[in-house]
Amino acid sequence: MFQHFGEQDWKPLLLAIEQLQREKEALEAASDLLQELQGQLEVLTRAQAGTDEDISRHTTEHAKLSERQDQARRQLADCAQLLDATPVPARELYFPLLRQLQPEALGEHKLTVESCDNRKKDMRNFLQTRIDADSKKIASLRDRIINAMSDYVTAWPLDTREVDVSINAAGEFGKMLAALQADDLPRFAQRFKELLNENTIREIAGFQSQLKRERETIRERIDIINRSLHDIDYNPNRYIALEAEPNLDADLRDFQADLRACTEGALTGSSDEEYSEAKFLQVKTIIERFRGRSGSAEVDKRWTRKVTDVRNWFVFSASERWREDDREHEHYTDAGGKSGGQKEKLAYTVLAASLAYQFGLEWGVVRSRSFRFVVIDEAFGRGSDESARYGLELFKRMNLQLLIVTPLQKIHIIEPYVAGLGFVHSEEGRQSMLRCLSIEQYQAERQARSA
């Protein structure tokens, strides 16, 4: 069923709807204002919390600063009391010295009230260390003076029989020095120095220079040898380099130091250098050992051979290195623990180096006036084919003229490296026969027999 409404029935309803719409809009407007007020309240609440936190922090910092200020005042009062107790002359003497030492002792540290105690400890430790070091120097100097006095008393007992060996006797020794100078001994000392420089010292310097030249010759020849060894594969992609390190033997080290001591400053021509009996005694000690001292002649003879043979100045070794980056693969100081083939190859390398060094061979030079004929007896009889070829390649590299004595079974190894063959046959050990063939004739006969 449908009921019909007239216009008078719709009007109250429309008015009610309009009234509700206006109330809705009013509520919505009131809600936006409430949200805005709520947001402002939250912002103010957070600001108040931050302000309270700042007040608390500043209050704590103020308390700490007040405590530091009180502590600084107490320390200032203590320092003023110590300063008043320090005599004025001590202040004038030591305070400038302390200021000069401050950068060295404390560095770039900035001084503050709190750090004063630690810096005071640092300065005290620095000064104590310096005092201890100076005390050691003074004690060492005192001992040297006393030793010098003792040596002088021992050397001249009649002139010093009434003098004590002590620092307190320095005045007495000074008087003796003045008496020697009054006797014009310095003039004779100068003449002695001139003769020492012109004769003995210069001879020692020449001897030292000769030893240095021999040492450099060894290094140069090793460099020459290494340049050729670099081109030969000791193992696939690896080569051998000879090394010569200084020998740290005590006899050699002391001998070299004594030679330097004899010539230090001797050839400068400076009149300030003091060369007298002390320098003469240094030379005398070396010469006496060369000649052989009484009761030690054999020992001195062995010592002389050892220290004057410059080859003993080095410790020789071999370094096996990778060709691509020169990185060391293995270091050989001796053949211990190596296989037979390794020992043979290393022995051939040392032999080649020895020949080149002994006869001054130049690697890769076809025509040379240097000696190049080498006889190798019983060659390659027990060695491996690989090591034998390595040795022959080394000798070929040196352009040596080889005479090789080897069993028949090793002919195939030496064949590429020789120009002729000599076959020796002994019938029942009574008569030997020799047949000489060029390598081409030998190869032709071998080919004909195998055909």
Side-chain angles (χ1 to χ4, degrees):
M1 283 178 57
F2 295 96
Q3 185 175 0
H4 177 74
F5 289 91
E7 182 179 352
Q8 65 275 10
D9 296 324
W10 287 100
K11 286 183 179 181
L13 180 59
L14 292 175
L15 292 174
I17 292 173
E18 291 177 355
Q19 180 65 31
L20 289 173
Q21 186 67 32
R22 286 193 295 272
E23 289 179 0
K24 176 184 176 184
E25 292 176 354
L27 288 173
E28 289 177 349
S31 176
D32 292 341
L33 179 61
L34 179 62
Q35 290 178 359
E36 180 179 357
L37 292 175
Q38 185 66 34
Q40 292 177 357
L41 177 60
E42 292 177 357
V43 171
L44 291 174
T45 301
R46 287 194 298 270
Q48 182 181 9
T51 302
D52 292 340
E53 184 178 350
D54 291 342
I55 291 173
S56 176
R57 185 177 68 257
H58 290 310
T59 301
T60 302
E61 292 178 355
H62 181 270
K64 292 180 180 179
L65 291 174
S66 297
E67 177 62 26
R68 290 175 60 187
Q69 185 180 32
D70 293 341
Q71 183 179 1
R73 285 172 178 167
R74 291 192 297 270
Q75 291 177 340
L76 179 62
D78 294 339
C79 290
Q81 185 177 359
L82 290 174
L83 185 62
D84 291 339
T86 304
V88 175
R91 299 184 208 173
E92 296 176 350
L93 176 62
Y94 297 119
F95 283 13
L97 297 176
L98 291 174
R99 278 193 292 271
Q100 293 177 3
L101 293 173
Q102 178 181 330
E104 183 180 357
L106 305 181
E108 299 297 330
H109 290 291
K110 183 179 180 181
L111 292 176
T112 62
V113 174
E114 292 81 0
S115 67
C116 280
D117 284 342
N118 291 332
R119 300 291 82 79
K120 178 180 68 175
K121 294 177 182 177
D122 294 340
M123 177 63 81
R124 180 183 290 113
N125 293 336
F126 171 80
L127 293 176
Q128 188 61 51
T129 301
R130 177 71 65 86
I131 291 171
D132 293 342
D134 289 342
S135 298
K136 290 181 180 179
K137 291 180 181 178
I138 292 172
S140 176
L141 180 59
R142 182 187 65 245
D143 294 340
R144 288 169 56 193
I145 293 173
I146 292 176
N147 290 337
M149 290 178 173
S150 179
D151 293 341
Y152 186 77
V153 169
T154 302
W156 309 99
L158 295 179
D159 295 334
T160 58
R161 58 182 179 274
E162 297 181 358
V163 180
D164 295 331
V165 178
S166 68
I167 294 296
N168 296 330
E172 296 297 327
F173 282 90
K175 292 178 181 179
M176 287 187 285
L177 175 61
L180 293 174
Q181 292 173 339
D183 292 337
D184 202 17
L185 278 180
R187 179 171 61 86
F188 297 101
Q190 180 62 29
R191 178 57 180 162
F192 174 78
K193 175 182 179 299
E194 292 174 357
L195 294 175
L196 188 65
N197 284 341
E198 293 173 0
N199 299 318
T200 308
I201 295 297
R202 290 186 184 276
E203 292 296 330
I204 289 292
F207 175 62
Q208 184 181 22
S209 297
Q210 177 63 30
L211 294 178
K212 288 182 178 179
R213 284 193 296 271
E214 293 180 7
R215 180 181 61 189
E216 293 307 315
T217 298
I218 291 176
R219 293 189 183 278
E220 291 171 0
R221 290 183 178 178
I222 287 179
D223 290 339
I224 293 173
I225 294 169
N226 281 338
R227 284 198 291 270
S228 281
L229 289 178
H230 185 275
D231 297 332
I232 299 175
D233 276 343
Y234 184 77
N235 281 309
N237 297 322
R238 295 197 296 271
Y239 68 95
I240 281 289
L242 301 182
E243 296 182 348
E245 298 296 332
N247 193 337
L248 302 180
D249 180 82
D251 287 340
L252 298 172
R253 186 175 63 247
D254 293 343
F255 171 69
Q256 294 166 12
D258 291 341
L259 277 184
R260 287 193 300 269
C262 289
T263 58
E264 283 177 349
L267 305 179
T268 61
S270 173
S271 59
D272 296 334
E273 297 290 346
E274 296 182 358
Y275 286 91
S276 56
E277 189 174 359
K279 193 61 70 173
F280 170 75
L281 291 176
Q282 291 176 340
V283 177
K284 180 174 177 287
T285 300
I286 294 178
I287 298 300
E288 285 181 346
R289 292 202 71 177
F290 283 166
R291 291 177 176 176
R293 298 165 297 177
S294 177
S296 304
E298 285 301 320
V299 174
D300 288 344
K301 186 177 181 180
R302 290 194 298 270
W303 175 85
T304 300
R305 285 198 301 265
K306 176 181 179 180
V307 300
T308 57
D309 188 343
V310 180
R311 293 173 295 183
N312 294 328
W313 292 18
F314 296 95
V315 175
F316 297 97
S317 60
S319 175
E320 185 177 356
R321 301 176 183 175
W322 290 96
R323 191 176 300 283
E324 58 186 7
D325 56 5
D326 290 335
R327 178 170 45 87
E328 185 172 76
H329 172 73
E330 190 166 358
H331 195 85
Y332 302 98
T333 54
D334 53 43
K338 308 302 178 185
S339 66
Q342 286 179 315
K343 291 180 180 179
E344 292 167 12
K345 291 176 67 175
L346 194 58
Y348 290 138
T349 303
V350 174
L351 175 60
S354 300
L355 290 171
Y357 170 80
Q358 184 67 31
F359 300 115
L361 302 182
E362 299 179 21
W363 292 80
V365 177
V366 177
R367 294 185 177 274
S368 173
R369 297 181 62 86
S370 59
F371 184 80
R372 290 176 178 269
F373 182 73
V374 178
V375 178
I376 306 179
D377 189 16
E378 297 294 331
F380 319 124
R382 300 179 181 178
S384 65
D385 292 354
E386 179 187 359
S387 60
R389 289 191 183 94
Y390 174 81
L392 288 167
E393 188 64 31
L394 274 179
F395 300 145
K396 178 182 177 181
R397 183 73 178 177
M398 296 170 62
N399 196 32
L400 291 173
Q401 182 181 5
L402 297 179
L403 175 59
I404 301 175
V405 181
T406 186
L408 287 174
Q409 63 267 28
K410 293 294 183 179
I411 294 297
H412 67 285
I413 300 175
I414 67 171
E415 180 180 342
Y417 300 94
V418 296
L421 301 174
F423 288 94
V424 179
H425 176 69
S426 178
E427 188 70 28
E428 297 181 358
R430 293 186 304 229
Q431 185 178 4
S432 295
M433 295 178 290
L434 173 65
R435 182 188 181 195
C436 295
L437 297 171
S438 68
I439 191 65
E440 291 81 6
Q441 291 173 328
Y442 165 74
Q443 291 172 345
E445 289 192 12
R446 183 182 60 184
Q447 186 175 3
R449 290 183 179 182
S450 62

